[in-house]
Amino acid sequence: MKKYRLTDQRTLLGIVSKLTSTVLQERDSKQKFTLTNPVAVNDILKSVHITITTTEPLLSKPKSLVCVLKENRVELRVKPVNPYQDDLLQVYEILIEPLERSAKRAAIEDISAYEIKMAQTADLGTVISIYGKTSIINQILTQWQVHLEQTLTNYGYFIKKVQIGFYYAVDTQLMEALATSKAPYYVRDANRRVFYTDRSFYSPKKLTEIYIRSYLDSLLLNNTKSTLIFPFFANGKVLLGYFEIISNLPDLGNPSLQSDIEGPEGIGSLLTFLEQKAEEFIFQLEFAYAKDWETAIRTTPVRDISQDGRGISMSLPAGTNIENRTLGSPVSFQMVINSSPYTFYGSLRSLKKAESDITNIGIQIFQCDKPEGMSLLSTYASNLIGEAVS
């Protein structure tokens, strides 16, 4: 395995805890940092947070912190937790790469994928605008509304309901404005007229006072105190629709949003969670309308598996005709785990030419034909990586 891609909270915390006495360098700016206070946060994402310090003025917000140890190059992929606190970062992924080609790697050389198939990406915007909510779309909407309601409730939000809509059908001044701005919108407390307008959220000041008063009155008549509207996009960043999260309580009934909206368990982790769920939701729609499935190759070696089992890379030999495939195209492939075949489904995330006209592809995996398949692949990958890294 060329790189070890780690995402598990316990693993990330263990590694960053060992790096508190190490100087790390930002990959692009080359500025040097040290890190302190690694902590596991019990938010909806199961995050790991660190605090960074530097002896010089901050040149830019770090995105990737790198250090070279005795046998490995370690890269921490990070992003801000709070836009007003530059030194607090979330570590969402760690890459570990052996310095020498001869270094011990996870025993992945004998692992292959079979029956790799790809389909044309559906033009969801056109499908939905022409046909509206078909039976297929309605079924997916119902499943995802229930899924989001249950997940958010399990993590301390008080949810009245979740609605999923498409912007082709909007007919209110607010929704038309959100479609134009492509920004999220958050009423924290309709009764007190409190809105959230940081992080590029849409500001109601752009609408007329009469309309906003009428809108808030309609929320209160329906016993709605807070509403978050989060946009999602199809491939090519084409605005498609929105998640509308509705609660009978202010701040979606979540104590963290009420007491410290910009804190570690505040709006940032919720937005990241919704962004991830939007990717999965869009995949479900694209997969339902995928057509013209073609076999790219019967069998090929697996190069890498992410620790959470949701990412995989493969090498396709010269002559494999996939140059016309666009990123986001639906992909299916089979793997044998514990002597049993499993079919996984995902989307094409990367496509790069390598030496000898070999094409390396990366696939984001969303589902399996058997319920236990995703957890088995995750366990399988963790065991491989654990043996090599420990």
Side-chain angles (χ1 to χ4, degrees), residues 22 32 43 59 73 97-98 118-119 130 147 152-153 160 166 180 184 207 210 221 225 246 251 284 317 324 327 358 373:
T22 303
K32 292 181 171 58
D43 61 5
L59 300 176
R73 175 184 180 274
E97 184 175 14
M118 298 186 184
I130 293 177
H147 170 62
L152 290 168
T153 298
K160 178 181 179 181
F166 299 105
T180 301
L207 302 174
I210 294 176
L221 284 173
K225 299 296 193 303
I246 301 169
D251 288 297
Q284 293 292 340
N324 61 336
L327 296 184
I358 291 175

Side-chain angles (χ1 to χ4, degrees), residues 54-336:
T54 180
T55 57
E56 303 172 355
L58 191 65
L59 300 176
S60 60
K61 292 185 178 181
K63 296 180 180 179
S64 180
L65 301 176
V66 178
C67 66
V68 176
L69 304 180
K70 185 177 180 181
E71 296 180 350
N72 298 302
R73 175 184 180 274
V74 180
E75 178 179 351
L76 278 60
R77 293 188 171 177
V78 298
K79 58 185 176 182
V81 174
N82 183 335
Y84 310 108
Q85 188 175 351
D86 291 338
D87 62 345
L88 181 63
L89 302 176
Q90 175 194 346
V91 181
Y92 63 89
E93 185 177 72
I94 293 180
L95 299 181
I96 298 180
E97 184 175 14
L99 295 177
E100 299 181 13
R101 292 183 179 274
S102 60
K104 180 183 178 182
R105 288 168 170 79
I108 202 168
E109 286 81 5
D110 296 329
I111 301 174
S112 295
Y114 303 92
E115 297 297 329
I116 297 90
K117 298 180 180 180
M118 298 186 184
Q120 295 293 335
T121 303
D123 186 349
L124 292 178
T126 300
V127 170
I128 293 171
S129 62
I130 293 177
Y131 300 106
K133 293 182 180 179
T134 64
S135 59
I136 294 176
I137 291 176
N138 275 326
Q139 183 179 2
I140 295 174
L141 288 179
T142 301
Q143 293 172 347
W144 270 85
Q145 285 168 186
V146 172
H147 170 62
L148 288 174
E149 287 170 6
Q150 292 178 343
T151 304
L152 290 168
T153 298
N154 291 341
Y155 280 93
Y157 296 85
F158 189 89
I159 306 302
K160 178 181 179 181
K161 63 180 176 180
V162 172
Q163 297 183 154
I164 303 176
F166 299 105
Y167 277 114
Y168 83 94
V170 299
D171 58 358
T172 67
Q173 186 177 339
L174 173 62
M175 284 301 184
E176 289 173 355
L178 294 182
T180 301
S181 67
K182 301 182 180 180
Y185 173 78
Y186 185 22
V187 183
R188 296 184 62 183
D189 189 337
N191 192 44
R192 295 171 55 200
R193 296 172 58 89
V194 177
F195 297 86
Y196 183 75
T197 56
D198 294 322
R199 291 183 184 248
S200 300
F201 272 66
Y202 185 82
S203 172
K205 292 181 180 179
K206 299 177 182 179
L207 302 174
T208 65
E209 176 63 26
I210 294 176
Y211 176 81
I212 287 297
R213 189 183 303 119
S214 173
Y215 168 72
L216 292 176
D217 287 345
S218 67
L219 292 182
L220 295 174
L221 284 173
N222 289 297
N223 195 27
T224 298
K225 299 296 193 303
S226 56
T227 298
L228 172 63
I229 300 176
F230 184 84
F232 55 77
F233 303 82
N235 284 326
K237 296 298 181 181
V238 176
L239 181 67
L240 191 63
Y242 56 88
F243 296 149
E244 185 175 13
I245 303 167
I246 301 169
S247 175
N248 296 125
L249 297 176
D251 288 297
L252 304 181
N254 183 275
S256 295
L257 289 180
Q258 188 169 31
S259 61
D260 189 6
I261 192 171
E262 285 296 345
E265 299 175 54
I267 195 71
S269 60
L270 177 58
L271 295 179
T272 302
F273 167 77
L274 292 175
E275 186 176 1
Q276 293 174 354
K277 290 301 177 182
E279 282 190 350
E280 293 182 41
F281 174 70
I282 289 296
F283 168 77
Q284 293 292 340
L285 292 177
E286 290 178 341
F287 184 68
Y289 282 95
K291 59 181 180 180
D292 301 328
W293 286 88
E294 297 178 358
T295 300
I297 192 170
R298 294 293 181 185
T299 180
T300 192
V302 172
R303 298 177 62 242
D304 194 8
I305 307 174
S306 64
Q307 189 193 27
D308 61 2
R310 291 186 173 271
I312 193 168
S313 62
M314 308 172 187
S315 294
L316 306 185
T320 307
N321 185 23
I322 63 168
E323 285 76 8
N324 61 336
R325 297 295 178 183
T326 58
L327 296 184
S329 297
V331 182
S332 72
F333 64 92
Q334 293 182 2
M335 284 186 68
V336 176

Side-chain angles (χ1 to χ4, degrees), residues 327-386:
L327 296 184
S329 297
V331 182
S332 72
F333 64 92
Q334 293 182 2
M335 284 186 68
V336 176
I337 303 176
N338 297 336
S339 302
S340 297
Y342 291 83
T343 301
F344 296 93
Y345 304 94
S347 61
L348 186 65
R349 281 293 180 262
S350 64
L351 191 155
K352 296 180 181 178
K353 281 286 186 182
E355 299 175 358
S356 304
D357 285 332
I358 291 175
T359 302
N360 295 327
I361 63 171
I363 301 169
Q364 183 173 1
I365 304 171
F366 290 107
Q367 66 185 50
C368 180
D369 65 334
K370 299 176 183 177
E372 72 277 12
M374 297 297 291
S375 60
L376 277 177
L377 186 59
S378 174
T379 302
Y380 188 44
S382 294
N383 290 340
L384 285 173
I385 294 170

